[in-house]
Amino acid sequence: MERKFYRWMLVPAFLFLTAFIYYPVLRGSVMAFQNYNLFDLNQLRFNGFDNFKAVLSDPHIRFAQILFNTAIWLFGSLFFQFVLGFGLALLLKKPFAGRGLYTAFVFYGWALSGFAIGLTWAWLFNGQFGLVNDMLIRIGLLSEPIGFLSNPNLAMISVIIPNIWYGVPFFGIMLLAALQSVPNELYEAATLDGAGSIRKFTSVTVPYVKPTIVSTILLRTMWIVNFPDIIYAMTNGGPVNRTNILATQMINKVFKEYDYGQGSAIGLIIMILLFAYAMLYLRMTEKKGGDTL
Amino acid sequence: MKKHMVYSIGRFILLTLYVLAAVFPLYWIIITSLKGPKEIYTMPLQYLPTTATLDSYRKLFSFSSFSLYFRNSLLVAFLSSLLAMAVSILSGFSLSRYPKQRTKGILQLALYFTQTIPTFLIMVPIFTMFSKLGWVDSTGALMLVYVATVIAFSTIMSKGFFDRIPVSLEEAAKIDGCSMFQSLLYVVLPITRPGMAAIFCFAFINIWNELFLAVMLLMSNDKMTVPVALNSFISKAGISWDVMSAGIVIALLPTMIVFGFGQKYIVAGLTEGSVKG
Amino acid sequence: MKHPMTILLVLCTLLLVLSPAFAAGTKEEASGPVTLTFVETMTSPSRTAQIQELIAKYEAQNPNVKINLVSPPYEQADNKLTLMLNSNQELDIIEVRDHTVKQFVNNNKLVDLTDYLKTWDQGDDLLPLTMTAATTVNNTPYLLPQFFFVKGLFVRTDILAKHGFTTMPKTIEELYKMSIAITGKAANQYGFGFRGKGSAFKISDILILSDVDNINVDNIYKTTDGSFAFSSPAARKAVAAYVDLYKKAVPSDGINWGFNEQVNGFISGTTPFLVQDPDTVSMVAEALDPSQWTVIPMPVGASGKTYLDYGFAGLGIPSTSKHKDLAWDFISFMVNAENNADFCRAYGPLPVHTSTYANDPYFSSGVYKSWEIEMSNPATYVFVKYPLDNPKYPAWAQVQEQTMQSLLLGSTTVDQAIKSWEDYWK
């Protein structure tokens, strides 16, 4: 009886998902196996794995470089988003005067749209008229401006920075909530046992917050990989393909080259990689039964 | 006591540093919106506008019907988030209490799976589907799609909130004679109200800023949403930074407000479910 | 409130169930005014406002017609239009661009306008170039061009004067020399408004290939004897000179400059030379005083000529339109000499009627004089075409950007870059 009730309750959500997500994904995936190029749709036919082969072996836009970029983008952003988010959450955990204001200012970045952030930071990092260069020169750290977005070695870092700025709020909020949900009794008990702050952190805080950390990181991973807006607005994948990630190359194929076949192929590759990663990740972090956020 | 003082000062310094780093992009946008078009591109950089003017804002509202787009976005984001919240109450609760572990696991996997999907992959199929149904250029249809895009995460969040509420509460209610649905409605839900507010906020912010689906699925100019309007300030001849910066500032306001309210609830919502009896 | 949550849930379910009802897009009634749907793709807020003015004018003259203007944002517009056409949306007038016309014709989406043009009284007034552009694909007019985008050289005369230059560069070599001479890194002064990303080849091709004498006008990348344009010795030298320009007259950041940074550089004075289309005029005019800048015709290359690509956009009728004749009526209204001139005056690019250049002083004076010179001296300013019907064309931009950026950064040599381009176009 109960199970029936629960099943009915799931119907609305999964109805939405099936109609607008699962079904379109299937249709979209089919395009990956067709020579779906808007330039000429008269010769539409299935072309097996040709799109995948084309993407993987493109001599000008090297796939290996794109994968590498995606990895750096992901782990670079994730690491700092997490560390800073956690740090901020720890700082904001205990109430103090003006906490509300600080929280608002520190976390507002997330309320902006990705492309607005990209455009703004492109300007801030500009080699000639950018705020960052100007300030660094005024402080005296630099003698002449740096081309943040045009130097192949600096470009990736320069696009990761706004991404960190954008992603910290999410981690911060989630971790703040998790930290505040640790029951005080546990801390009191630990103090009675003679534990110092560090010990309390490692044996009380971290284990309690771990499930939240685990799920938040997984979600952020998927979101970061599928987030081309900032890079697209700042460098469009350049210079020399050094900030091109899977998602931005997908945009290029779809919007600039009208090649939906190859674009969808890249989309499938993204999905497969993320899914495999998620499986591995979950196995490694050994989720027991129900997970908590 | 001294330790506390050191800690407080340390915290103050660290937070202030971070706030400065976090706020300066917004500062730049705000002052750009207050400069006139001649001042925006001057060198050396002007950190303060020499003559602050509201011209850009005037241009924004008179020139490009921005207030109409603003209202459209408000309607779309608000209703979609409300619907998403309501649906996720059902699905989250169900998933949280679901008896069979294996199915539960599979369902959760299905939800996480949706997060791996790039929007561009489903853009064209959705458009084709809608054009066959005659749903192109429909605000209602766009809202349905938006609900679908946020429902997975909303359900995951919702499940998290319900997980923190002990089943004993519902059981007690059942003993008192409530049906399953009633116990959800009158016993469990009131406790998770902050959590629901949190879901609403997440959904609202995501939907408010969504660009590509809105561009593809809407047609009439008077149905445009805010991100689409902002994006239309990029033309072949460049970016009109005067109206763009004014637009970004105005677009930020609702999300900041929702976020401001939401913060409290998100944090409260995630903490409140813990066992206190 | 007895059951607040229940009410909420019921409301939401109702919403869910009912939304398809108000989801249906705007459908016209059987009687009443005819509605034509007009999709523009080169959207910009000021241009949309002007189009709406023209629409209002037309609707006043034709009270039984309503025009519904759809203006997707510029960056996604062409893509969206393609999707709409391919799913057979009911559209009546669409903006067709030089790089989308072939694609639309391939997919049988455009109506042949030959008969309409024949019976149009203003057909003879169109520039020869207009007809050439109109018949780009299969020698058949599938669109009626509305304007041309032709590059001109924007110059900050005040910055030039500050550095002691009072004459304008006539050749590309002079332009390079001036740019390099003006550059003083310490003062954050550079010479040339470089374009590093986003169809950068449109600018670099002019500067490089204008040194080659015998470019084929039907395909800028080939010479009249069939060989690859960049392989000629003159082109090789020109590519090297271009790289040299980057190293000596452009900030290193220039490799990442798009149109926005180019204009930014020009307005702020950091780079006094800017190669751009006429629609940039209004942006620049808004930010600078007339005494500070001007536009001169593109300097010529070592061949004594400049090869200019004539970008264009115009209006076409989708084959699925149910009101083709009415659509043509509106198109011929939009593109008649008077409205075309008004529109171009406000929006910037070059109009398409011979009479406009003859009668309208705006287009033959001031900064527009330079474009007039370019349009009326075909021996010096040679109009060439890009291989738009080659299926390799859409992907070319990204490939060229990669190799050119590599070249500019020094990770590849001129010969290697030219070879990879040659291999691409084989």
Side-chain angles (χ1 to χ4, degrees), chain C residues 180-252:
Chain C
I180 296 177
I182 294 180
T183 303
K185 292 205 169 116
N188 205 28
Q189 178 69 59
Y190 292 89
F192 188 71
F194 204 73
R195 167 83 141 251
K197 71 168 192 244
S199 297
F201 66 94
K202 288 284 177 86
I203 295 182
S204 59
D205 281 349
I206 304 180
L207 298 172
I208 294 173
L209 293 174
S210 293
D211 278 0
V212 179
D213 197 46
N214 53 347
I215 295 284
N216 182 339
V217 293
D218 285 321
N219 183 344
I220 190 177
Y221 291 132
K222 287 209 143 75
T223 54
T224 45
D225 55 15
S227 49
F228 186 57
F230 283 105
S231 309
S232 70
R236 277 200 151 79
K237 261 179 63 189
V239 173
Y242 186 71
V243 177
D244 195 54
L245 177 74
Y246 169 73
K247 294 205 171 91
K248 299 201 179 124
V250 178
S252 64

Side-chain angles (χ1 to χ4, degrees), chain A residues 79 116 146 195 200 226-227 240 274:
Chain A
F79 179 73
I146 298 182
K200 270 194 256 184
N226 272 323
F227 189 51
V240 212
L274 280 177

Side-chain angles (χ1 to χ4, degrees), chain C residues 54-126:
Chain C
L54 283 168
I55 289 180
K57 203 165 139 187
Y58 182 80
E59 285 177 349
Q61 290 174 9
N62 299 278
N64 61 327
V65 184
K66 288 216 84 50
I67 314 262
N68 181 24
L69 177 65
V70 176
S71 320
Y74 175 69
E75 299 207 310
Q76 292 94 23
D78 285 319
N79 218 283
K80 180 161 181 202
L81 178 57
T82 309
L83 268 183
M84 289 201 276
L85 284 176
N86 284 326
S87 52
N88 299 321
Q89 292 282 307
E90 274 181 38
L91 306 172
D92 302 292
I93 305 136
I94 58 177
E95 183 160 19
V96 183
R97 297 181 60 181
D98 44 12
H99 63 263
T100 52
V101 58
K102 173 73 178 166
Q103 179 199 95
F104 292 160
V105 173
N106 275 346
N107 298 323
N108 300 313
K109 297 296 177 194
L110 285 176
V111 168
D112 180 344
L113 300 175
T114 322
D115 294 331
Y116 287 124
L117 281 170
K118 263 198 237 155
T119 55
W120 191 30
D121 55 352
Q122 297 209 1
D124 295 325
D125 187 31
L126 295 172

Side-chain angles (χ1 to χ4, degrees), chain C residues 123-346:
Chain C
D124 295 325
D125 187 31
L126 295 172
L127 291 169
L129 190 62
T130 313
M131 283 314 289
T132 317
T135 54
T136 307
V137 179
N138 300 341
N139 266 319
T140 321
Y142 283 107
L143 75 151
L144 178 54
Q146 267 193 295
F147 16 72
F148 287 106
F149 299 99
V150 180
K151 297 282 184 285
L153 185 63
F154 288 65
V155 184
R156 282 295 294 268
T157 45
D158 56 345
I159 307 266
L160 249 58
K162 202 166 84 171
H163 285 86
F165 289 103
T166 44
T167 52
M168 298 290 123
K170 292 241 164 21
T171 66
I172 294 181
E173 204 183 335
E174 274 172 33
L175 171 63
Y176 284 14
K177 279 213 187 87
M178 275 185 170
S179 304
I180 296 177
I182 294 180
T183 303
K185 292 205 169 116
N188 205 28
Q189 178 69 59
Y190 292 89
F192 188 71
F194 204 73
R195 167 83 141 251
K197 71 168 192 244
S199 297
F201 66 94
K202 288 284 177 86
I203 295 182
S204 59
D205 281 349
I206 304 180
L207 298 172
I208 294 173
L209 293 174
S210 293
D211 278 0
V212 179
D213 197 46
N214 53 347
I215 295 284
N216 182 339
V217 293
D218 285 321
N219 183 344
I220 190 177
Y221 291 132
K222 287 209 143 75
T223 54
T224 45
D225 55 15
S227 49
F228 186 57
F230 283 105
S231 309
S232 70
R236 277 200 151 79
K237 261 179 63 189
V239 173
Y242 186 71
V243 177
D244 195 54
L245 177 74
Y246 169 73
K247 294 205 171 91
K248 299 201 179 124
V250 178
S252 64
D253 211 38
I255 212 173
N256 195 44
W257 278 16
F259 53 66
N260 203 44
E261 286 83 7
Q262 277 185 300
V263 173
N264 207 334
F266 186 74
I267 295 183
S268 68
T270 314
T271 48
F273 287 115
L274 172 69
V275 175
Q276 261 297 357
D277 291 324
D279 53 338
T280 315
V281 167
S282 50
M283 247 197 166
V284 173
E286 209 179 45
L288 293 174
D289 282 332
S291 61
Q292 293 177 281
W293 66 287
T294 185
V295 178
I296 61 172
M298 285 296 291
V300 296
S303 62
K305 300 181 275 216
T306 295
Y307 296 109
L308 293 175
D309 153 53
Y310 51 96
F312 61 87
L315 300 176
I317 307 177
S319 40
T320 49
S321 167
K322 295 202 170 69
H323 310 284
K324 296 192 173 81
D325 291 341
L326 208 47
W328 171 256
D329 193 56
F330 178 70
I331 291 180
S332 54
F333 169 81
M334 279 286 286
V335 194
N336 71 27
E338 187 198 331
N339 290 326
N340 188 243
D342 285 342
F343 195 14
C344 290
R345 219 175 295 125

Side-chain angles (χ1 to χ4, degrees), chain B residues 41 138 186 215 218 221 236, chain C residues 3 23 71 76 80 264 268 277:
Chain B
Y41 295 117
S138 151
Y186 299 117
V215 168
L218 292 174
N221 288 352
K236 179 181 171 298
Chain C
H3 307 263
S71 320
Q76 292 94 23
K80 180 161 181 202
N264 207 334
S268 68
D277 291 324

